[in-house]
Amino acid sequence: ETPGALTSNPINNKIYCGNYNGSSLSVIACSPFSYICGDCNGNGEINIADVVWLINYLFINGPSPVPWQAGDVNADGKVDASDVVYLINYLFINGPPPCGGRQ
């Protein structure tokens, strides 16, 4: 597997982070459940920059959402093109809020 930083899905309202250095994995509870669903770049706002961030992540190997769970905009447990469409609908045609409005 490729070395790098890792994050988990939320477990008991915590996100577990780790680092894999190619031979070992260290894991800690790195933060409380504190992010804005749809704020993929982690700047505290949901806007077109988050759509661009998701597209870059999905199609040109850009950085992952910060944290990864922020990119699961439609709350189906994965980050994929349907999250991009969901976020565009929310921003431009009054679609439902990210994660159905729950944070």
Side-chain angles (χ1 to χ4, degrees):
E1 295 195 21
T2 306
L6 309 166
T7 60
S8 74
N9 287 325
I11 302 169
N12 294 328
N13 290 335
K14 293 189 188 256
I15 296 173
Y16 289 84
C17 298
N19 190 50
Y20 179 65
N21 66 13
S23 62
S24 66
L25 174 66
S26 61
V27 178
I28 60 169
C30 59
S31 70
F33 198 74
S34 60
Y35 63 88
I36 299 169
C37 184
D39 178 20
C40 300
N41 61 10
N43 71 350
E45 301 175 11
I46 300 173
N47 55 36
I48 190 64
D50 299 300
V51 173
V52 172
W53 191 279
L54 267 183
I55 290 170
N56 286 337
Y57 169 66
L58 292 168
F59 299 107
I60 60 171
N61 203 29
S64 66
V66 183
W68 179 87
Q69 295 79 9
D72 182 17
V73 183
N74 63 6
D76 68 353
K78 55 192 171 196
V79 177
D80 57 22
S82 65
D83 296 297
V84 174
V85 172
Y86 193 103
L87 195 53
I88 289 170
N89 285 338
Y90 168 68
L91 289 169
F92 296 105
I93 60 170
N94 203 28
C99 294
R102 58 187 164 78
Q103 293 300 320

